[in-house]
Amino acid sequence: MAAPATEPKSPEKTQTKRGNHAALGTATVPGNPGAGRATPENAGTTMQRASLLLCFLVLLVLLALASLAVGSKPIDLATVLGALVNPDDSADHAIIRESRVPRALLGILAGSALGIAGALVQSMTRNALAEPGILGVNAGASLAIVIAVGTFGINGFSGYVWFAFGGAVLATGAVYLVGMAGARSNDPVRLVLAGVALGAVLSGIGTALALVHPAAFDQLRAWTVGSLEGRSPEILLPLALAVAAGFVLAAFTGRSLNALALGDDTAKALGYRVGRARVLILLAVTVLAGAATAAVGAIGFLGLMAPHLARRFSGPDARWMLGFTAVLAPIILLLADVLGRVIIPGELEAGVVCAFVGAPVLIILARRKKPVAV
Amino acid sequence: MSAPAKTNTVVAGRPGRARRLGREAALCLVLSALALLVALLVIGGGDYPMGPGQVLKVLLGGGEGLENTIVLQWRTPRAVAALVFGAALGVAGAVFQSLTRNPLGSPDVIGFSTGAYTGALLALTLVGGSFVATSLGALAGGLLTAFAVYLLAWRRGSHGFRLILVGIGVSAMLAALNQWLVLRAEIEVAMAAAVWGAGTLNGVNWSSVLPAILLIVPVLAATLAGGNRLQMLEMGDDMATALGVPVEKTRLLMIVLAVLLTAATTAIAGPIAFVALVAPQLAKRLNQGAGLRLVPAACMGALLLVTSDLAAQRLFAPVQLPVGVVTVSIGGIYLIWLLAREGRTGSR
């Protein structure tokens, strides 16, 4: 967001500008070769991007297969494929079907949901440091868990998962009401500040309650870490529905995201309805982040770093960025889950590994060249 | 080209420098007076309640034997700690928000608090956690983390945005480690760690507060003296260089000073959240757009922390909450209220 005039004209910068023009001037399929300004070079990058995305998809599938084979009881790939294609009643097949396949699916769904939610938040607030947690998702969910366990005596994951989802949705709604109310309703800085403020209040109350109720504290510390382990398969269907709804909303907002990146005034001048776009984006973020956070715990860092990684491959177009994020985020989460199963005897929670895998990547990205702003 | 015209309108649109400074002084005076008043209430509260007048009398040397012990030995250290630590945190936050040009900047962005928590957690879980061990662990953890982040972000000069990104990355790793340590610890140890991790002034006494104050006061003075250079840095590196400010040296110096302020506070009271983040923003809003200024931020921080400590003492009266739980709530509520008010009037 630095003024282009003061920047040295690097090739990357020029490309960035051209990319934006192409996306905005045509407002059709990204990089469509038939669209006015597209040059052969542009078409080439589109092809490259598409094939790169395909490569990552293949990587995700391979990683998912690997996650079926790796664990406290290693199972060879032939048996894994057998269990998928031609299941029988053997113990190995039962493990794969009933425990490892749901876990891999949970990782893919929750990972892409957290990634997309992070990408949407970063684009909407024009703040590259935003993550879904900034809208109060984590604070709302953990306060709801503390209340569920401490006040209502509900125990266990399947008991409080709906509380967590409800808490996340309510918190985000409240952040929206505080941040978007009033005269300067479209200032994204207000939204971020409202999220920080409300999140602080909720987490303060949550901590105070948790310190009074040791049982709630015990559940909360397990949930906060974030893990794919021990989640009941019944949550897969609701999670899948929520993720599908979020993806549809996100797909609708892709074009407005490109416009919003240029600032509200420009977006309005281009004919975009800025306020409506923000509501749609926020709705998508709430559904995606709320569902994924309730299901796997507070792995908000994934939502922060996956879009940064995706931007390296996608360039500035928000639609490509969303696509890459949707594939890269579950890759990171599944990789973390698989690593966590083999690093130490017993298991290291995916949330912990995720931070230790993702953070060095983020640091290297930050060091490599001038960081790419949103 | 259009710059002179722009400057003119800005000057015409705002009150003169003298008036602005006068208003700022008045604001600081009001905030400090409020903070001192609340401090009297803090000293007056407890199992042996006293009115503010009585407290003032004892403080000025007119007390009896028991009152003297209670006020001077037991309760004053806590109130003084709240005032000084609050001011230190407010200034540290203002420095980081100015350097990173981000309203969410705070010493946390270079991972200090998270690292301090890691150090304290290790001290608590491995060594058993006496007060000294926890303090030293926190100090070592915080300083090592801040140093590591600055080194990792160094690449032909430090860049504000890179500093934040690297800080977030390192913090995320340490936070994950912290959560894992808390998860694996016995529940009693974990809860004691959580109280420390929220930030608490319960049980501070002169012997723990005095060394911290002796460090904080000169550092605070040095930081306030650098306030003008900081404002020039806000205009951008190039402009600041043109104005004769040694950019990298100033930035490093201010970071070191701000980290020292945070370190002294955290070692004694734990990472008290949100004062560093919210005090400069509140002061800036009350100061009506004069930018991030250090002295108002210090007064605001002192008021915020001492008020939070009063609430932490009194809210669930026999139970003493960690003050950090209240700072986040009070700071958050105030910020929400300000946002809502701004939204209604449509002013800044």
Side-chain angles (χ1 to χ4, degrees):
Chain A
M1 290 167 291
T6 62
E7 298 287 327
K9 282 245 189 307
S10 67
E12 189 201 357
K13 199 78 199 175
T14 340
Q15 198 185 356
T16 306
K17 287 174 82 176
R18 192 190 302 141
N20 268 340
H21 279 302
L24 290 163
T26 62
T28 51
V29 187
N32 181 353
R37 287 165 199 263
T39 60
E41 183 196 350
N42 245 355
T45 51
T46 304
M47 278 303 290
Q48 279 168 14
R49 277 185 210 152
S51 41
L52 202 58
L53 193 55
L54 205 65
C55 289
F56 283 130
L57 259 178
V58 173
L59 186 63
L60 179 59
V61 172
L62 290 179
L63 208 55
L65 281 178
S67 84
L68 299 182
V70 177
S72 53
K73 182 180 191 306
I75 299 173
D76 63 84
L77 268 176
T79 321
V80 168
L81 291 175
L84 293 178
V85 180
N86 187 15
D88 57 39
D89 288 338
S90 68
D92 281 358
H93 283 200
I95 290 178
I96 289 173
R97 267 183 292 123
E98 277 152 37
S99 142
R100 291 194 185 165
V101 167
R103 188 166 168 165
L105 287 177
L106 178 67
I108 293 173
L109 286 173
S112 54
L114 284 171
I116 293 282
L120 290 175
V121 170
Q122 289 181 4
S123 299
M124 178 182 67
T125 59
R126 286 186 221 115
N127 190 332
L129 307 177
E131 45 134 345
I134 218 162
L135 297 180
V137 172
N138 296 342
S142 48
L143 177 58
I145 289 175
V146 172
I147 290 175
V149 180
T151 316
F152 299 118
I154 293 167
N155 252 323
F157 169 75
S158 36
Y160 62 64
V161 61
W162 290 103
F163 273 89
F165 182 63
V169 170
L170 284 180
T172 318
V175 166
Y176 176 78
L177 285 182
V178 173
M180 289 299 186
R184 292 192 312 149
S185 60
N186 272 329
D187 187 351
V189 175
R190 281 175 55 87
L191 195 66
V192 172
L193 282 177
V196 171
L198 210 71
V201 176
L202 294 179
S203 70
I205 299 172
T207 312
L209 284 178
L211 288 176
V212 184
H213 297 283
F217 181 85
D218 199 25
Q219 298 275 330
L220 187 65
R221 65 176 176 167
W223 176 84
T224 310
V225 170
S227 168
L228 300 180
E229 189 199 0
R231 273 40 180 168
S232 51
E234 293 94 70
I235 59 159
L236 274 179
L237 185 63
L239 179 63
L241 289 178
V243 170
F247 272 31
V248 171
L249 283 172
F252 272 118
T253 58
R255 264 170 51 194
S256 355
L257 278 180
N258 278 335
L260 281 178
L262 299 177
D264 282 8
D265 295 340
T266 315
K268 268 182 215 150
L270 287 166
Y272 287 93
R273 290 159 70 179
V274 173
R276 204 189 59 161
R278 281 236 165 76
V279 174
L280 281 181
I281 296 168
L282 207 69
L283 214 56
V285 172
T286 310
V287 171
L288 289 170
T293 305
V296 301
I299 317 184
F301 181 64
L302 187 61
L304 176 88
M305 71 93 32
H308 278 273
L309 192 59
R311 239 170 256 129
R312 292 282 154 181
F313 301 110
S314 68
D317 190 329
R319 289 163 295 187
W320 280 102
M321 197 263 284
L322 288 178
F324 273 96
T325 308
V327 182
L328 285 171
I331 287 182
I332 299 170
L333 187 55
L334 275 188
L335 190 67
D337 189 39
V338 172
L339 281 178
R341 288 185 231 172
V342 294
I343 285 179
I344 57 167
E347 222 172 86
L348 200 55
E349 285 73 13
V352 176
V353 187
C354 205
F356 276 84
V357 171
V361 177
L362 186 69
I363 293 171
I364 292 167
L365 286 183
R367 277 182 61 81
R368 255 182 47 191
K369 45 185 160 180
K370 201 166 155 41
V372 178
V374 179
Chain B
M1 292 155 275
S2 63
K6 203 176 167 190
T7 319
N8 280 337
T9 51
V10 168
V11 168
R14 286 194 180 173
R17 184 180 154 80
R19 240 180 89 194
R20 206 166 61 232
L21 284 180
R23 198 172 53 197
E24 186 174 305
L27 175 71
C28 293
L29 221 58
V30 171
L31 290 177
S32 321
L34 278 176
L36 288 176
L37 190 69
V38 178
L40 289 183
L41 291 177
V42 167
I43 297 175
D47 287 339
Y48 182 89
M50 282 183 265
Q54 203 180 351
V55 172
L56 204 60
K57 199 185 81 185
V58 178
L59 282 179
L60 295 174
E64 319 264 306
L66 180 63
E67 281 182 343
N68 268 338
T69 315
I70 291 178
V71 169
L72 298 178
Q73 294 303 315
W74 296 353
R75 293 187 184 163
T76 307
R78 180 174 180 154
V80 171
L83 290 173
V84 175
F85 291 177
L89 288 174
V91 169
V95 167
F96 269 91
Q97 289 173 15
S98 170
L99 284 179
T100 57
R101 291 176 207 136
N102 191 318
L104 300 184
S106 77
D108 299 1
V109 300
I110 61 168
F112 185 87
S113 302
T114 326
Y117 193 25
T118 308
L121 266 174
L122 288 176
L124 280 166
T125 49
L126 297 183
V127 203
S130 64
F131 180 81
V132 176
T134 314
S135 291
L136 288 181
L139 212 53
L143 290 178
L144 277 178
T145 309
F147 188 59
V149 168
Y150 193 80
L151 276 191
L152 280 173
W154 180 270
R155 192 168 166 273
R156 275 179 285 125
S158 62
H159 182 274
F161 189 70
R162 188 161 54 223
L163 198 66
I164 300 181
L165 265 188
V166 172
I168 285 180
V170 172
S171 298
M173 279 204 278
L174 290 174
L177 181 63
N178 293 350
Q179 286 167 359
W180 188 76
L181 284 171
V182 167
L183 186 62
R184 290 292 185 276
E186 297 294 323
I187 183 91
E188 292 83 16
V189 178
M191 289 189 77
V195 170
W196 190 91
T200 177
L201 290 171
N202 297 342
V204 296
N205 50 35
W206 281 124
S207 64
S208 59
V209 170
L210 267 185
I213 291 181
L214 286 182
L215 176 63
I216 287 177
V217 170
V219 174
L220 204 54
T223 316
L224 295 181
N228 281 338
R229 279 189 178 184
L230 204 59
Q231 283 202 315
M232 290 186 202
L233 274 190
E234 270 187 43
M235 294 187 230
D237 288 3
D238 297 343
M239 182 69 98
T241 311
L243 287 169
V245 177
V247 171
E248 282 301 337
K249 222 194 266 174
T250 308
R251 188 147 47 205
L252 180 60
L253 182 71
M254 294 311 276
I255 288 181
V256 167
L257 290 175
V259 166
L260 278 179
L261 290 176
T262 318
T265 306
T266 308
I268 306 305
I272 300 173
F274 221 58
V275 176
L277 190 75
V278 83
Q281 289 297 317
L282 293 181
K284 178 182 161 190
R285 279 173 165 70
L286 290 174
N287 207 359
Q288 299 192 348
L292 281 171
R293 310 272 298 166
L294 296 184
V295 182
C299 300
M300 192 70 225
L303 177 61
L304 197 61
L305 190 56
V306 79
T307 312
S308 303
D309 197 39
L310 184 68
Q313 268 186 9
R314 302 275 179 89
L315 269 185
F316 297 93
V319 181
Q320 301 271 298
L321 289 176
V323 69
V325 170
V326 184
T327 53
V328 291
S329 305
I330 287 190
I333 290 169
Y334 197 13
L335 199 53
I336 290 173
W337 177 75
L338 272 178
L339 278 169
R341 207 189 56 150
E342 280 178 4
R344 255 205 324 278
T345 58
S347 72
R348 299 184 53 94

